Amino acid sequence: IAGVTSSDGIGYICSLNIDCGFLLHQAWLDNHSRSLGLFIDGKFVRPADRQSRSLADSKGGHVCSTVCAVEADVSQAASSAVSGHKAWSGLSCYQRAKVLLRLVGVLGQHGQCVSELCELCEASCSPSALVRLLQYYSSWAQLRDTLIPNWTPLGVVAVAVSEDCSLYSLMLKVLPALAMGNSVVVVPGRSSAPPALLLAQLFVGAGLPAGALNVLTGSDMSLGARVAQNTSISYVTYSGNKQDGVTLCKATAGMGVPVTVSPNIGARCPFIIFESADIDSAVDAVIEAAFKKKREVHWVLCVQESVLDSVVARLRLRMAGMKCVALHSEGDRVLVDTAVQVAQQQGATLVQSCAAPPSGAQYPPTVLCGAAPSSPFVVSPSPGPLLPLMTFRSNTEAVTLGNHSPHGQAASIWTEDLTLALDTAKSLSVGSVWVNSHSVSDPCLPVSGHKDSGTCTDGGHEGLYQFLRPSPSSSPLPRSSPVSMDYSKFGTAASPAIIPDDSDPASAPKPYLQFVGGKPCKSVSGCSVAVQSPGGGSVLAYCPDGGRKDVRNAVEAAVKVQPGWMKKSPSARAQSLYSLTKGLEAKRRDIAASVSVQTGLSMDEADTEVELSIARLSDWAAYCDKNQGGTPPLPQSGSALSLPEALGVVGLVLPDENPLLSMVTLLGAAIANGNAVVMVPSQKYPLPALAFIQVLQASDLPAGLVNVITGSRDELTAALANHSVIKAIWYWGSAEGCQYLQYTCTSPLKTLHLFCQKEDGGKDWTKSHPSLLEEMWRNAVQWKSVWIPTA
């Protein structure tokens, strides 16, 4: 053992005596003197003069210490990752798949060591789950160019996780990134750091090129921000609790690197038991989910009133004799005691396995019967083994209770009525629904948090696209340093040339109206702003100067109509888009004139843009009933559905280039997938969008589905960013606007697609490459997985 180098992970572990298998993880730690370095360029490095961080097990015993990386280490890892990417992406798909398949054998041989280390560090992940991940993504590595043509890897991807995130969640991001040909810099949490370092060692030993996988350990999430700041990083993705995710988003605002988050720790998830359920199985399952498994989410039990007594009686029976659950600290015990006291004061009754000890960091499993959706212990769950129980009468009320949460991660439904199960699953605003089961996962199905539970999709075919870019690629954000700005004052500067509507003389240029709730209207302020000719010499028209209240009215109109539009069949949405296409064809001369006058193009050039816009709307009409998910094969018995769903209300801040064509391209992508839209036309060229209002009025699109508000781009961007209902913002604007959105759109989380016009140089909207349209389509949906087990 003493003669084996620390970089040779496989050779070292193989050298251990098989009879001492139960000590494999301890021997590995001892070989590193229980002081783990950073893993850079295929080997462990331990620079001098670095602070270290100690990791203890559940009993307080010392496990090991890890190095806290500094700027020099980040630069070294990023440089190594660039070299690793060249070597890794230079391999053929077959060669990359071969390396990942070799890792399956390595894990099969050394899974015990990995499992023991995960258990010691409380970073839950079974070797079989890792093997399944490797098998799944090795096949995608093999088929990338065949099944995902015209997409290329991003380059160097940074994957960061919080302190309490599992190793499985970490590898659910690392392995697809590698499979698609990227190199990865991992920033693990405290508990996942030792297993991540061990796996990196095994990966390199199995043939992964040096530098393709680097692991940097640190003291907190600030390390993730320092990694993102390096200009070699193309993309940052995060998994864990929301607080650290928000910290990362704010710290990286303005750096010009896309950041997505998957807050899968601490979400509230409904566990719904209908009267048609197998009550015994449902009660056993909720006890296992709430009290026996490591809790990454907070379950809320929702029971139909007709079976409440039966469920409570079975809970008392099953919970009898259960031992107290260990808490992390005495502080957690104080929080649990407070939550129970508040619940009892509000009339809740307790179902406990045993009496609570007078003190100590432990508490018995407890069901709080009679909870209300607004109860503090439901809204802000405590860290202990508490399970709120609420009741409902009808199926509709069950859905309302299930959706009464800012989170949208998962739900468990218990009923033997399959029609009821599927209807409820489609109505719940969550990313994963388990029917007569819970907490099941497999990489073949996408995991996409809805509402405040994430801005990206992990797993499945759909989760691969976050690690790819279309080829030819749209221009990414320019890498930059954040500018110093007062976020509270962004968009508050007065708009130029404000003129009251009622002061315009009869001879003044034509005043336009904006479009809210299906009707043309003035702005709430009653003011207009002058639109200059291309040369800036004369005033072409006056457009309404919209503001925060106009955005509020537009969102209210959109929220009312969007659910009904989303529930329409894809073919019905397609027909509505075809009617929009016919309307544009009928008004093509007027629209072309507005494009020509506004942009200075000749009438022939303007007519060409209108023709391209008609074709683009037809493309989106055809897309409506395509790519509608599927039924991925599962390794275990049962069936599953993978369903794309609308995001909700999308804010579009439109580009200056090709003002008509870019508008219909983005508008079509959004509404074809069931979204409602609040559009902010180009501040420089707003007239084509305002002329397009005639087409919207003549179409059969529901009133309020598409809203058009003109005015100051910065002011309207700030209004969109601060509206809690808007789920996504697609933005073309200034670097400051991009930074503002990245910093602000964190509570609640919004999906952002940002493009800096100043540096972009202009996107060629005239090209309709399939991968570019598919990228827009995927930006307009979120995914839902429905698990249906068999007996």
Side-chain angles (χ1 to χ4, degrees):
I1 294 175
V4 180
T5 62
S6 62
S7 62
D8 186 8
I10 295 179
Y12 169 66
I13 295 177
C14 287
S15 70
L16 297 177
N17 191 321
I18 194 66
D19 294 333
C20 300
F22 66 95
L23 293 177
L24 282 176
H25 67 291
Q26 298 286 3
W28 181 79
L29 290 171
D30 289 339
N31 186 61
H32 290 274
S33 302
R34 295 191 175 266
S35 179
L36 302 179
L38 311 172
F39 195 82
I40 300 175
D41 202 29
K43 58 184 180 295
F44 278 100
V45 296
R46 186 173 178 83
D49 303 325
R50 298 288 190 270
Q51 292 183 348
S52 61
R53 188 183 191 194
S54 180
L55 173 66
D57 59 23
S58 59
K59 298 180 180 179
H62 177 70
V63 175
C64 64
S65 62
T66 55
V67 172
C68 294
V70 298
E71 292 294 339
D73 305 318
V74 172
S75 298
Q76 184 182 357
S79 176
S80 171
V82 171
S83 300
H85 173 249
K86 291 178 181 178
W88 181 237
S89 62
L91 299 178
S92 67
C93 289
Y94 165 72
Q95 289 171 320
R96 285 195 297 272
K98 190 175 180 181
V99 172
L100 294 179
L101 280 174
R102 193 180 299 134
L103 282 165
V104 174
V106 170
L107 275 180
Q109 186 177 359
H110 307 298
Q112 183 180 354
C113 180
V114 176
S115 177
E116 290 171 349
L117 190 60
C118 287
E119 184 177 355
L120 182 67
C121 300
E122 298 183 89
S124 58
C125 186
S126 67
S128 60
L130 288 175
V131 167
R132 171 61 181 152
L133 283 172
L134 282 165
Q135 289 173 335
Y136 182 76
Y137 286 115
S138 64
S139 63
W140 272 115
Q142 173 80 44
L143 299 173
R144 190 199 72 185
D145 290 348
T146 303
L147 298 183
I148 317 179
N150 304 316
W151 291 75
T152 57
L154 297 174
V156 181
V157 172
V159 178
V161 298
S162 64
E163 303 289 276
D164 45 3
C165 188
S166 69
L167 182 66
Y168 183 87
S169 297
L170 172 65
M171 300 311 292
L172 188 59
K173 290 183 178 290
V174 170
L175 290 177
L178 289 172
M180 293 299 100
N182 302 281
S183 61
V184 180
V185 177
V186 176
V187 183
R190 180 171 56 182
S191 59
S192 59
L197 289 165
L198 172 59
L199 287 176
Q201 197 175 31
L202 293 175
F203 278 27
V204 171
L208 190 71
L213 180 59
N214 302 272
V215 182
L216 296 177
T217 53
S219 58
D220 53 33
M221 194 47 61
S222 63
L223 176 59
R226 294 200 300 274
V227 170
Q229 192 172 10
N230 190 284
T231 56
S232 299
I233 303 298
S234 301
Y235 172 61
V236 179
T237 182
Y238 164 87
S239 186
N241 62 62
K242 186 187 174 184
Q243 182 179 357
D244 284 346
V246 169
T247 299
L248 180 63
C249 290
K250 290 181 180 292
T252 55
M255 293 181 182
V257 59
V259 178
T260 61
V261 297
S262 302
N264 52 16
I265 304 292
R268 296 204 321 266
C269 300
F271 194 106
I272 303 173
I273 301 178
F274 289 99
E275 61 185 1
S276 53
D278 178 345
I279 303 299
D280 288 317
S281 298
V283 169
D284 288 342
V286 75
I287 289 176
E288 179 186 31
F291 303 133
K292 293 184 178 179
K293 284 196 169 187
K294 180 182 178 181
R295 295 208 314 171
E296 293 188 345
V297 300
H298 298 282
W299 290 101
V300 177
L301 180 57
C302 305
V303 180
Q304 197 154 14
E305 283 186 354
S306 56
V307 292
L308 174 63
D309 293 340
S310 176
V311 169
V312 172
R314 284 170 170 79
L315 283 170
R316 293 185 188 277
L317 180 64
R318 301 291 202 283
M319 292 170 60
M322 290 180 64
K323 297 181 180 179
C324 289
V325 176
L327 305 175
H328 287 292
S329 65
E330 293 282 353
D332 285 354
R333 174 60 189 269
V334 173
L335 294 175
V336 171
D337 286 336
T338 301
V340 171
Q341 290 173 7
V342 170
Q344 290 179 308
Q345 290 170 2
Q346 294 184 348
T349 57
L350 307 184
V351 176
Q352 289 183 315
S353 60
C354 60
S359 61
Q362 55 180 347
Y363 203 82
T366 302
V367 179
L368 305 174
C369 302
S374 59
S375 300
F377 54 90
V378 176
V379 175
S380 301
S382 69
L386 303 183
L387 177 65
L389 187 154
M390 298 186 288
T391 59
F392 61 88
R393 286 165 291 187
S394 64
N395 303 342
T396 302
E397 193 174 337
V399 172
T400 302
L401 275 182
N403 288 332
H404 188 78
S405 167
H407 309 116
Q409 183 172 336
S412 179
I413 299 172
W414 289 78
T415 175
E416 295 185 348
D417 184 338
L418 184 58
T419 301
L420 172 61
L422 292 177
D423 287 345
T424 305
K426 290 182 179 180
S427 300
L428 289 171
S429 298
V430 297
S432 298
V433 180
W434 298 298
V435 178
N436 296 331
S437 57
H438 70 90
S439 308
V440 186
S441 61
D442 189 85
C444 73
L445 276 178
V447 179
S448 179
H450 292 204
K451 297 189 287 188
D452 211 22
S453 289
T455 60
C456 68
T457 299
D458 297 317
H461 176 208
E462 301 77 12
L464 300 174
Y465 288 90
Q466 66 175 312
F467 303 109
L468 297 167
R469 63 165 56 99
S471 178
S473 173
S474 54
S475 300
L477 282 173
R479 291 309 304 263
S480 60
S481 298
V483 299
S484 177
M485 61 185 296
D486 185 346
Y487 293 102
S488 64
K489 294 183 179 179
F490 178 81
T492 59
S495 300
I498 299 294
I499 301 175
D501 289 336
D502 56 7
S503 68
D504 294 340
S507 60
K510 177 183 177 181
Y512 280 84
L513 298 176
Q514 56 190 15
F515 193 62
V516 176
K519 298 177 181 178
C521 60
K522 297 180 180 180
S523 65
V524 173
S525 67
C527 294
S528 294
V529 61
V531 180
Q532 305 290 332
S533 62
S538 61
V539 175
L540 294 176
Y542 292 110
C543 350
D545 186 45
R548 179 181 58 83
K549 292 183 179 179
D550 297 282
V551 171
R552 177 200 63 193
N553 295 340
V555 173
E556 287 178 357
V559 167
K560 290 179 182 178
V561 72
Q562 190 272 330
W565 174 250
M566 179 180 64
K567 290 178 182 178
K568 279 194 170 187
S569 67
S571 60
R573 292 201 299 268
Q575 291 306 311
S576 294
L577 278 170
Y578 280 126
S579 77
L580 197 63
T581 304
K582 292 178 181 177
L584 182 55
E585 178 74 43
K587 295 284 185 180
R588 68 181 301 159
R589 188 170 184 82
D590 294 340
I591 301 296
S594 71
V595 173
S596 175
V597 169
Q598 177 76 95
T599 62
L601 296 174
S602 67
M603 277 298 294
D604 288 342
E605 291 172 321
D607 189 68
T608 299
E609 182 166 342
V610 175
E611 181 65 31
L612 289 171
S613 301
I614 293 170
R616 191 63 49 80
L617 276 176
S618 297
D619 287 342
W620 287 125
Y623 252 91
C624 283
D625 57 355
K626 310 299 186 296
N627 299 321
Q628 292 299 309
T631 56
L634 297 178
Q636 61 266 37
S637 62
S639 303
L641 302 174
S642 174
L643 307 172
E645 292 188 342
L647 297 171
V649 181
V650 178
L652 304 182
V653 183
L654 301 174
D656 294 336
E657 298 83 10
N658 302 105
L660 177 67
L661 180 57
S662 61
M663 178 193 67
V664 300
T665 300
L666 298 170
L667 171 64
I671 64 176
N673 289 287
N675 300 288
V677 168
V678 178
M679 289 198 305
V680 178
S682 162
Q683 188 174 349
K684 185 178 180 181
Y685 302 132
L687 296 189
L690 293 174
F692 188 73
I693 289 175
Q694 303 174 59
V695 180
L696 292 171
Q697 285 182 282
S699 73
D700 63 357
L701 294 177
L705 185 70
V706 180
N707 303 271
V708 183
I709 303 175
T710 56
S712 166
R713 180 172 58 200
D714 288 350
E715 181 181 356
L716 295 174
T717 296
L720 292 171
N722 289 290
H723 202 294
S724 61
V725 172
I726 291 177
K727 171 62 179 175
I729 297 178
W730 303 349
Y731 176 84
W732 274 259
S734 64
E736 291 78 10
C738 293
Q739 179 174 332
Y740 175 81
L741 288 170
Q742 287 180 309
Y743 186 89
T744 306
C745 297
T746 53
S747 186
L749 289 169
K750 290 179 173 60
T751 303
L752 301 176
H753 298 287
L754 308 177
F755 299 86
C756 184
Q757 287 195 137
K758 188 174 181 180
E759 304 289 342
D760 190 18
K763 178 177 180 175
D764 188 357
W765 294 95
T766 62
K767 303 296 183 183
S768 59
H769 197 278
S771 62
L772 295 177
L773 294 181
E774 184 178 10
E775 180 190 32
M776 292 181 196
W777 179 83
R778 292 189 177 279
N779 290 344
V781 299
Q782 57 190 355
W783 291 88
K784 175 180 287 183
S785 299
V786 182
W787 294 78
I788 309 171
T790 55

